[in-house]
Amino acid sequence: VNMGDRFGQIMIENLRRRQCDLAGVETCKSLESQKERLLSNGWETASAVNMMELYSRLPRAEVS
């Protein structure tokens, strides 16, 4: 997700240069768009967090 930020743009460009298109990238614009995509396709609930949020939830002993 967040393919519109600079990191995402560079990643997509690098993959395309290698003729390795990232399938579905157009529908992965944000966490919200991902949740909406799932809900509109029959999922009862959907939630998502970014990697930094997930990382912050890990036990410190696991991170070490």
Side-chain angles (χ1 to χ4, degrees), residues 1-14 22 25 28-31 50-52:
V1 297
N2 296 332
M3 294 301 166
D5 68 9
R6 190 66 187 138
F7 179 85
Q9 292 170 353
I10 290 172
M11 181 179 71
I12 292 168
E13 289 169 13
N14 286 336
L22 188 56
V25 71
C28 298
K29 298 295 182 189
S30 68
L31 291 176
N50 65 37
M51 289 302 294
M52 294 304 292

Side-chain angles (χ1 to χ4, degrees), residues 15-45:
L15 289 169
R16 284 187 179 146
R17 270 190 239 120
R18 292 168 177 80
Q19 297 178 342
C20 190
D21 288 331
L22 188 56
V25 71
E26 295 81 21
T27 60
C28 298
K29 298 295 182 189
S30 68
L31 291 176
E32 283 303 315
S33 68
Q34 284 293 82
K35 290 190 284 187
E36 286 300 317
R37 184 177 67 87
L38 296 171
L39 294 171
S40 69
N41 282 284
W43 290 50
E44 291 181 20
T45 63

